[in-house]
Amino acid sequence: MTRKQRRGVLIGTCLVVLGVAVGLVLYAMRDSIVFFYSPSDIAKMEIAPGQRIRLGGLVETGSVKRDQGTTVHFSVTDGAKVMPVTYTGVLPDLFREGQGVVTEGAVQPDGTFKADNVLAKHDENYMPPEVAAKLKEQGVWREGDAGTAGGKVTTQ
């Protein structure tokens, strides 16, 4: 075997080992990867019930209803579509109607979203980047009025 052939075999072996390593890492992370969607994205896509996702948007005004105990029902909107959400637990102090929110959970077979984690924005000028990007796509985002995160949300 010539020196050039040995180098080729070494490079080929390294590429195969690297490919196997990347494949194993992706396989190990398959359950922990959670994608972000807006209510419009969920309406367009076929998301299997039970698949973990993040749902982001604005808490629809007038939609927050509390059951007995710690169960709360509210809707998340991106200006175009609305997704009903059920959450059992203590909501963050900054959770309010009309504010940005990111929830993590799964779509139920009845079309509602059952959240097991709710993240609210941390001040009045901040909007989660994913939510801001989706609101910009929907045309309900106005640039430049607030904070470093981008702008102010206007409702239609």
Side-chain angles (χ1 to χ4, degrees):
M1 186 179 279
T2 66
R3 185 174 179 176
K4 187 175 182 180
Q5 289 173 331
R6 279 187 284 176
R7 189 178 326 142
V9 169
L10 179 65
I11 290 172
T13 303
C14 288
L15 288 176
V16 169
V17 170
L18 183 64
V20 169
V22 169
L24 289 173
V25 168
L26 292 176
Y27 180 76
M29 292 178 58
R30 75 183 186 287
D31 290 335
S32 63
I33 296 173
V34 179
F35 294 103
F36 177 85
Y37 297 104
S38 69
S40 294
D41 293 336
I42 293 173
K44 288 182 211 169
M45 302 174 70
E46 301 259 342
I47 295 177
Q51 178 184 350
R52 289 195 58 78
I53 61 170
R54 285 186 174 178
L55 170 67
L58 301 173
V59 178
E60 187 177 44
T61 303
S63 69
V64 178
K65 295 178 178 61
R66 297 180 189 274
D67 282 349
Q68 292 182 352
T70 57
T71 301
V72 179
H73 303 275
F74 57 95
S75 296
V76 174
T77 183
D78 59 359
K81 297 286 183 183
V82 176
M83 184 80 179
V85 177
T86 302
Y87 174 70
T88 301
V90 178
L91 289 170
D93 291 338
L94 298 174
F95 179 86
R96 281 179 262 150
E97 293 179 351
Q99 299 294 321
V101 67
V102 175
T103 61
E104 187 172 326
V107 177
Q108 300 301 300
D110 64 356
T112 62
F113 187 81
K114 184 175 182 180
D116 55 19
N117 192 13
V118 174
L119 306 170
K121 66 179 192 169
H122 70 298
D123 72 16
E124 63 190 38
N125 294 324
Y126 178 76
M127 178 70 67
E130 298 94 351
V131 174
K134 294 296 181 182
L135 292 174
K136 285 178 184 177
E137 289 177 9
Q138 297 298 321
V140 295
W141 183 266
R142 193 173 67 211
E143 290 290 335
D145 286 342
T148 58
K152 185 175 181 178
V153 175
T154 59
T155 57
Q156 295 175 346

